Amino acid sequence: MSAASPPTAPVVTIAGLRIELSGTGDDVVDEVTVAVRPGEVLGLVGESGSGKTTVGMALLGHVRRGGRVAGGEIEIGGRSLASLDAEELRRLRGGTVAYIPQDPGTALNPALRIRTQLEEVLEAHAGGQDAEERRRRIRAVLDEVALPSDEDFLRRYPHQLSGGQQQRVSIAMAFVARPRVIVCDEPTTGLDVTTQARVLETVRRLCRSHDVAALYVTHDLAVVAELADRVAVLYGGRIVECAPRDELFRAPRHPYTRRLLRAVPDVRGRRAIVGIPGYAALPGGRPAGCSFHPRCDFASDECRTTAPPAIEVAPGHEVRCHHADAVLGQPAANGLGVAQRRDVGQDVLLAVGSLDAHHGDRPTLHGIDFQIHDHECLAVVGESGSGKTTLARCVAGLHRQWSGDLRFEDRPLAAAARRRSREERQRIQYVFQNPYASLNPRRTVGQTIARQLQLFFPGPRRAVAQRVVECLESVAISPRAAHRFPDQLSGGERQRVAIARALAAQPRLLVCDEITSALDVSVQAAIVELLGDLRARMGLSLLFVTHELAIIRTIADRVVVMTDGRIVEQGPVEQILTRPGAPYTRELLANTPSVEAALGHASPAAG
């Protein structure tokens, strides 16, 4: 929309929205006020627990169990959601307001073919169309999301599609009934950069071409910089800053926005990521005054006692901060500056030679060769399906169907972990992508770590308990967490516990499989800082599997780039990221979202 164009009336208006927990009255979100116009994308960003998804679901007239709308109003197309009965709300969902979920694998019905699922949406929300009109609409929307529209594709079930295809089917289902509003709930979390770029381009193009107002919920500021027209930053259930995209990234006025920007990885390597100390307070545990004050460098006595009101600091730019002027005037430190390089030993710790692997009759790895030295971090990058995780599981002994040469400390490794010596299992430890799935939900954190200690270093209960405390402290977790269960921890805390469990074995090689892919940028930054600190203190070597190229600049010494089960390029991180030789690597770098690139290569003020 050009500056000369007259502003159109908002399709979505949220005014003073408050949603609270029914039993306690604690606010989940409060005083939320935003508007979204046709064709506009509003990015709603913040850490886990900030209330992003709660606001997004409220546009669908939905409040999670145990919550209720206690104040404010939501209008869509001039109609208040509070005035709609159950049948009108049902017609609203999917027809007027559509939803793109985070995980299409669970949102799509596994028992129904793709055609059936698209037809159901049209039958529910465009009932006046005949069969031929529905077929034309389905073919058109599949073309719009760059998917085949032939009979073979339409007859497939969701499990017969890749993750990127599943997500684009979800987008097609959202747009097929031509809604006026769309809610995108982190639809690119966990996708590789190439698939993510396609999904973002699809959402952007469809919103523009159909004048759809979009609320894009995410924790990834680089994605927001690529996609959004305006950005609202949510913390502690309140919007602490809202501004046009370029202004917010170039001149953030709230300390929390600045710290979020410092946590965004920079693929160009001009700054290192810096985590935010502490954790976001959840409903019922939020402090008086400004919710951010316990983590804020600018906090004063006024911040601890009085909640700041929303003030307009520039046209269309509102902020909730008592020190907004001081924040703008204070130059932002770059933290660690460029990524720190650590000394790498000369001795080869892990040598992989001519490694081939397969799943049943299907080959997955072809002639893999690389080495990891003492105290070195080797990153393995590539799209989903490139073979990264299979390679990591071969190294850990979790995938047995391989041939070739795998040597650790110059001794051959057996294919299966159970056939390796106890010392070999102790010295190679694996941290999984999903800590909630890899931690036993029926064991406390202390019991989980104690079991690892008893397995490799049996001893008296009191000595083991003390080692549990030391392991938790080594990953910056309070010893009090030893008595909690995994579901009582945040995502970042669970990942730290998973790392603590691995460190309890005192390994030499830590295999990290996509351990930051679903974390908030601030938590991701803290985990990367933690791993760097552990390398320095414990002399660890890392095999760091990821699809996020921006993050490897901060943590890795060398990089292996994989596609279709083969290594297409490997070398020092600086060379691979600045002078890539393989076309595939150049494509990955081109598709990696970047705040700087989205803003025309201008560095953000917080960075």
Side-chain angles (χ1 to χ4, degrees):
M1 185 184 299
S2 68
S5 301
T8 54
V11 180
V12 175
T13 303
I14 304 175
L17 178 66
R18 176 183 174 89
I19 296 176
E20 63 183 32
L21 300 178
S22 302
T24 63
D26 295 324
D27 64 292
V28 180
V29 297
D30 196 15
E31 301 181 44
V32 172
T33 299
V34 291
V36 192
R37 292 180 168 82
E40 182 181 45
V41 179
L42 174 68
L44 188 61
V45 302
E47 294 170 285
S48 295
S50 61
K52 307 186 301 294
T53 297
T54 299
V55 174
M57 296 305 289
L59 293 187
L60 295 157
H62 177 76
V63 179
R64 69 177 187 179
R65 182 175 299 179
R68 67 184 186 90
V69 177
E73 190 170 35
I74 301 174
E75 288 187 357
I76 296 178
R79 298 184 68 192
S80 170
L81 263 59
S83 67
L84 304 182
D85 59 27
E87 177 60 25
E88 289 172 320
L89 276 176
R90 189 191 70 79
R91 289 199 299 269
L92 173 93
R93 298 172 183 142
T96 304
V97 184
Y99 179 73
I100 301 176
Q102 178 174 344
D103 183 1
T106 57
L108 297 176
N109 190 325
L112 297 180
R113 300 181 191 274
I114 301 305
R115 171 193 279 109
T116 304
Q117 300 194 51
L118 288 164
E119 285 179 343
E120 283 186 341
V121 177
L122 287 176
E123 288 169 4
H125 301 290
Q129 293 181 333
D130 60 29
E132 181 57 33
E133 287 175 321
R134 287 199 294 269
R135 281 194 291 271
R136 282 199 298 269
R137 177 70 67 86
I138 288 171
R139 285 195 296 268
V141 77
L142 288 174
D143 288 343
E144 287 177 331
V145 299
L147 286 174
S149 57
D150 56 75
E151 287 300 311
D152 177 65
F153 184 83
L154 289 167
R155 287 179 56 81
R156 293 184 192 178
Y157 292 95
H159 73 273
Q160 296 174 306
L161 307 181
S162 70
Q165 287 176 321
Q166 288 178 353
Q167 192 59 280
R168 279 181 280 166
V169 168
S170 294
I171 295 172
M173 289 177 64
F175 278 94
V176 71
R178 298 293 184 250
R180 300 189 64 189
V181 180
I182 194 157
V183 177
C184 307
D185 189 5
E186 308 220 34
T188 61
T189 296
L191 297 180
D192 59 67
V193 293
T194 304
T195 305
Q196 175 177 261
R198 293 192 191 111
V199 169
L200 292 177
E201 171 57 29
T202 301
V203 171
R204 180 192 300 113
R205 177 168 37 80
L206 290 177
C207 287
R208 299 290 189 273
S209 61
H210 297 299
D211 275 342
V212 175
L215 181 70
Y216 196 96
V217 174
T218 185
H219 63 258
D220 192 334
L221 275 81
V223 166
V224 164
E226 293 273 351
L227 181 69
D229 301 293
R230 289 188 302 122
V231 183
V233 181
L234 204 61
Y235 186 84
R238 287 171 170 80
I239 292 177
V240 296
E241 188 162 11
C242 185
R245 181 200 64 173
D246 288 13
E247 184 169 347
L248 183 128
F249 282 107
R250 288 197 173 101
R253 301 291 290 270
H254 197 283
Y256 178 60
T257 309
R258 289 162 61 98
R259 294 307 300 259
L260 280 181
L261 286 167
R262 290 173 60 186
V264 177
D266 175 23
V267 73
R268 292 173 178 79
R270 290 176 293 193
R271 54 181 171 81
I273 59 177
V274 182
I276 305 176
Y279 299 97
L282 299 177
R286 290 169 181 158
C290 174
S291 293
F292 187 62
H293 83 253
R295 309 170 71 187
C296 182
D297 297 331
F298 294 86
S300 63
D301 290 340
E302 183 182 20
C303 301
R304 299 179 182 94
T305 57
T306 307
I311 57 172
E312 189 172 57
V313 294
H317 189 166
E318 288 191 344
V319 63
R320 289 180 180 272
C321 182
H322 294 301
H323 306 291
D325 292 336
V327 170
L328 185 63
Q330 182 72 28
N334 280 340
L336 300 177
V338 295
Q340 293 181 338
R341 298 270 72 86
R342 295 174 174 83
D343 292 333
V344 174
Q346 296 298 314
D347 294 336
V348 175
L349 181 66
L350 177 74
V352 179
S354 301
L355 181 71
D356 296 324
H358 55 281
H359 287 273
D361 296 330
R362 181 170 59 89
T364 53
L365 296 179
H366 310 273
I368 302 299
D369 288 280
F370 66 83
Q371 296 178 340
I372 299 179
H373 295 80
D374 279 335
H375 309 160
E376 182 180 36
C377 176
L378 177 74
V380 180
V381 301
E383 295 174 281
S384 298
S386 61
K388 306 186 302 296
T389 293
T390 300
L391 172 59
R393 291 173 66 85
C394 288
V395 171
L398 301 177
H399 183 83
R400 298 178 294 176
Q401 296 176 300
W402 60 265
S403 61
D405 190 27
L406 197 58
R407 303 181 71 83
F408 183 73
E409 297 177 321
D410 205 28
R411 293 193 297 269
L413 284 173
R418 291 182 181 275
R419 292 173 50 199
R420 297 178 182 178
S421 69
R422 190 170 83 161
E423 181 184 13
E424 288 170 339
R425 294 198 306 271
Q426 172 224 326
R427 293 166 84 79
I428 301 176
Q429 288 291 306
Y430 199 99
V431 183
F432 294 87
Q433 178 175 357
N434 185 349
Y436 193 73
S438 65
L439 297 175
N440 191 326
R442 296 182 178 179
R443 286 198 181 112
T444 65
V445 167
Q447 290 169 337
T448 292
I449 298 175
R451 188 174 187 276
Q452 181 88 321
L453 290 167
Q454 289 285 16
L455 183 64
F456 295 114
F457 310 107
R461 181 176 296 179
R462 180 172 295 181
V464 170
Q466 180 57 39
R467 282 286 294 124
V468 168
V469 170
E470 292 170 3
C471 289
L472 290 173
E473 289 178 339
S474 73
V475 296
I477 289 279
S478 168
R480 292 194 299 272
H483 304 291
R484 297 181 182 175
F485 290 91
D487 66 346
Q488 296 174 303
L489 305 176
S490 69
E493 288 172 324
R494 286 196 292 264
Q495 196 61 281
R496 287 171 183 263
V497 169
I499 294 171
R501 176 178 61 181
L503 294 178
Q506 298 180 16
R508 288 196 66 191
L509 175 66
L510 201 61
V511 182
C512 301
D513 186 7
E514 300 271 17
I515 65 172
T516 62
S517 64
L519 298 177
D520 300 333
V521 289
S522 57
V523 178
Q524 174 181 269
I527 293 294
V528 169
E529 286 182 321
L530 169 67
L531 290 174
D533 180 56
L534 291 172
R535 282 182 66 194
R537 286 193 285 115
M538 301 178 62
L540 278 174
S541 297
L542 301 179
L543 178 62
F544 193 85
V545 174
T546 184
H547 63 256
E548 300 173 278
L549 272 74
I551 203 170
I552 65 175
R553 170 85 70 167
T554 302
I555 194 169
D557 302 296
R558 287 189 305 115
V559 184
V560 165
V561 183
M562 292 183 63
T563 183
D564 296 328
R566 291 179 169 84
I567 293 176
V568 296
E569 188 168 11
Q570 62 176 301
V573 63
E574 182 70 20
Q575 173 188 321
I576 296 297
L577 295 185
T578 58
R579 300 181 303 280
Y584 177 73
T585 309
R586 292 196 289 270
E587 181 185 0
L588 287 180
L589 287 167
N591 288 327
T592 298
S594 163
V595 171
E596 289 82 0
L599 300 182
H601 304 284
S603 298

